[in-house]
Amino acid sequence: MTRTDRPLRQLEQYLQPQTGERARLSFDGQTTRLRREGQTATQTPPPFDEAAEREKLRAQMEQNASAPEFRMWREMLIGRLGSREAARQEFLRLGLPQKLWDELDTFDRRMGRTPSDAPNVVPESYSSALVTAEEVQNSPLWNPPAELRRRFASIWAAEINIVPPGAEVGLWERSLELAREGFLRISPRRADGSLWLTPGLEPHRAELRGLERPVVRPYPTAGQPTPWDSKFGGVPYRPVGSAWPLDVHGAPLPFLAQIDLAQANAGGHLPDLPRRGLLQFFVSHAGERVLYWPDPVQDEAALTREVPELEDYQEEMFSPPEQAMGFVPDSELPSSLDDRLGFARSADETDQQGEDNANLRPNGHRLRGYPMVINTFHPAAENVQLLFQFDGDDYGGQLFGDSGGMGGWVGFFIRPDDLGNLDFSRVWAELDAF
């Protein structure tokens, strides 16, 4: 099979909501291809020169070799060989001086460690083990001669495990460039409009079709939102006299986002949500609240812009900068961690199909759809469904700029019966990697 005939391992599709431009990013395990505006750019990683990479690392260590590096390497040697004496013999066999070993022992004693201590104990501070100027002059530990540096660097570089950079790096670099241009990643599709599936999942298309679920993808956009518009962070819509939501300790909850359903669901793309009304999301480590205003008043005189004072860490973690919000309708499949995808795996297969499915699912904010899972396993779908998910990674800096975002995600979950009754009082949040 030629390079151009390789089946795609990953296909990503992007939409620039402001301009309508679309882009397609594909990866066949070796070559990344970006197609936009009728042009295709390819990127294939150059052959990996392990010897050159090892020599580069050796030269860096020769320049930087110092007491911490000697000590760390010796501790790994002790751990690998299982005893200090065996490590000492290997130390000497490799051509390193006994004086260096002895000075490392002295270093450990000054750090408050004894030779019998576990080798993976990390010292609290190196300052207590520093030596005087007189000791430094003839010390191989604190003033290693050039020959010792070269010898140690050669030993270290020969042992280190060098892994070639993945061919996927090109895919990641191009996707980051698109995100910085304001492109929104959406579910990949075939020419007939159906979801594109990887080769590992294609045999299960019929089963997967029944799991496809509509989703609306919120994204930051330009413009100054009114108090009743959809937006991330800032000052929420709040009629005069209404209470600010509190956490379990009675402290005010940070305001995360609000969604005007007349904007997000005007066409009824999400059939189980109303086509009007305002949803608001408040959250911290100590609680969550979702408020629903079915008929928001569009009169600033009837609203208050007072915001309670928050703890610094809460404001930093759960209060994004105010920014207007736009929406793109889409559909998607569950996470690869969802038990309902068990039919796509077998006991004697690797989890490649799970990885395949992860590649199909864009990260990012979402209204309804399926949750993006990092560490937390969400409850069974028949008991609870995703209402809204905030992605704190801010891939491309569209919301947080150069700060890189908050990391992790916050998912708000609701029971189907409560959603049917528009009862948001029992919504709860899960915080993953926050």
Side-chain angles (χ1 to χ4, degrees):
M1 181 177 288
T2 65
R3 176 175 297 179
T4 56
D5 290 334
R6 285 193 188 92
L8 293 182
R9 282 177 48 184
Q10 186 160 348
L11 174 66
E12 298 178 0
Q13 290 186 334
Y14 292 84
L15 170 68
Q16 219 299 349
Q18 308 298 328
T19 65
E21 181 186 351
R22 292 179 178 268
R24 168 188 163 117
L25 193 58
S26 62
F27 177 65
D28 63 10
Q30 195 166 24
T31 300
T32 297
R33 292 179 174 83
L34 172 62
R35 182 169 180 78
R36 55 183 298 190
E37 297 181 330
Q39 302 294 318
T40 300
T42 63
Q43 180 176 344
T44 301
F48 179 65
D49 189 338
E50 181 178 337
E53 183 66 20
R54 197 174 296 278
E55 172 56 26
K56 181 174 73 173
L57 294 173
R58 189 209 62 77
Q60 291 173 350
M61 179 55 74
E62 181 178 343
Q63 180 179 0
N64 299 324
S66 61
E69 282 74 29
F70 288 135
R71 184 178 184 277
M72 184 182 302
W73 178 82
R74 187 179 79 150
E75 297 295 0
M76 291 190 295
L77 182 65
I78 294 171
R80 188 170 75 244
L81 298 182
S83 76
R84 292 178 61 83
E85 180 56 27
R88 189 184 72 84
Q89 294 294 334
E90 179 66 8
F91 190 93
L92 299 177
R93 189 192 69 79
L94 292 170
L96 299 175
Q98 177 69 46
K99 187 176 181 182
L100 177 59
W101 180 276
D102 294 339
E103 289 192 2
L104 284 167
D105 280 345
T106 302
F107 181 57
D108 278 350
R109 284 193 294 271
R110 288 179 175 177
M111 293 296 295
R113 289 185 51 200
T114 64
S116 60
D117 284 336
N120 62 348
V121 173
V122 179
E124 293 183 2
S125 171
Y126 287 114
S127 60
S128 62
L130 295 179
V131 293
T132 65
E134 292 77 13
E135 289 176 302
V136 165
Q137 186 173 2
N138 297 310
S139 168
L141 178 61
W142 298 103
N143 187 25
E147 178 56 34
L148 176 56
R149 288 175 180 271
R150 284 193 293 271
R151 183 63 184 158
F152 176 75
S154 296
I155 295 169
W156 178 85
E159 294 179 349
I160 193 170
N161 183 32
I162 298 180
V163 179
E168 297 88 345
V169 170
L171 182 75
W172 180 83
E173 291 173 344
R174 300 292 81 74
S175 65
L176 183 58
E177 290 172 3
L178 290 170
R180 287 172 174 164
E181 292 184 41
F183 278 81
L184 180 68
R185 186 179 166 189
I186 57 179
S187 294
R189 298 187 180 275
R190 302 192 302 182
D192 63 2
S194 61
L195 287 177
W196 176 84
L197 300 177
T198 58
L201 290 176
E202 186 60 45
H204 306 283
R205 176 171 292 277
E207 299 100 317
L208 290 169
R209 188 179 297 116
L211 296 176
E212 188 175 347
R213 182 177 289 179
V215 63
V216 166
R217 304 195 186 281
Y219 63 92
T221 188
Q224 181 62 42
T226 68
W228 48 84
D229 277 339
S230 302
K231 60 182 174 179
F232 299 98
V235 180
Y237 169 89
R238 185 159 70 104
V240 173
S242 60
W244 187 282
L246 305 177
D247 66 19
V248 295
H249 305 297
L253 283 165
F255 170 62
L256 186 67
Q258 70 183 26
I259 295 177
D260 178 11
L261 294 174
Q263 298 172 341
N265 200 35
H269 183 70
L270 303 173
D272 47 7
L273 281 181
R275 299 192 187 189
R276 63 182 180 88
L278 197 64
L279 281 174
Q280 294 180 319
F281 300 89
F282 299 79
V283 70
S284 77
H285 284 117
E288 64 281 313
R289 283 287 305 278
V290 173
L291 302 181
Y292 174 58
W293 304 90
D295 296 294
V297 177
Q298 298 187 7
D299 179 3
E300 294 197 34
L303 307 176
T304 176
R305 295 188 60 83
E306 292 183 5
V307 176
E309 185 174 349
L310 301 173
E311 296 286 343
D312 288 344
Y313 84 92
Q314 289 192 336
E315 189 165 6
E316 180 180 345
M317 290 191 71
F318 301 106
S319 297
E322 183 172 86
Q323 195 159 347
M325 186 186 294
F327 304 95
V328 170
D330 201 359
S331 64
E332 63 184 8
L333 294 173
S335 161
S336 57
L337 297 180
D338 195 302
D339 288 340
R340 288 168 298 182
L341 292 185
F343 62 80
R345 307 186 189 97
S346 64
D348 60 348
E349 288 178 333
T350 67
D351 196 38
Q352 178 62 48
Q353 289 166 333
E355 295 176 4
D356 286 343
N357 187 44
N359 292 340
L360 298 178
R361 289 172 44 75
N363 295 346
H365 316 293
R366 48 186 21 96
L367 180 64
R368 302 292 285 144
Y370 290 101
M372 175 181 66
V373 177
I374 305 173
N375 300 311
T376 301
F377 285 81
H378 61 279
E382 59 268 18
N383 298 325
V384 65
Q385 295 177 354
L386 180 69
L387 177 61
F388 171 67
Q389 183 165 293
F390 177 89
D391 183 356
D393 280 337
D394 190 30
Y395 196 54
Q398 298 301 309
L399 184 57
F400 292 91
D402 294 336
S403 69
M406 301 185 294
W409 60 260
V410 181
F412 294 83
F413 294 86
I414 190 169
R415 295 174 178 83
D417 289 346
D418 289 341
L419 183 57
N421 295 323
L422 299 183
D423 177 6
F424 300 95
S425 63
R426 296 199 297 168
V427 171
W428 76 89
E430 289 187 11
L431 282 64
D432 201 347
F434 258 85

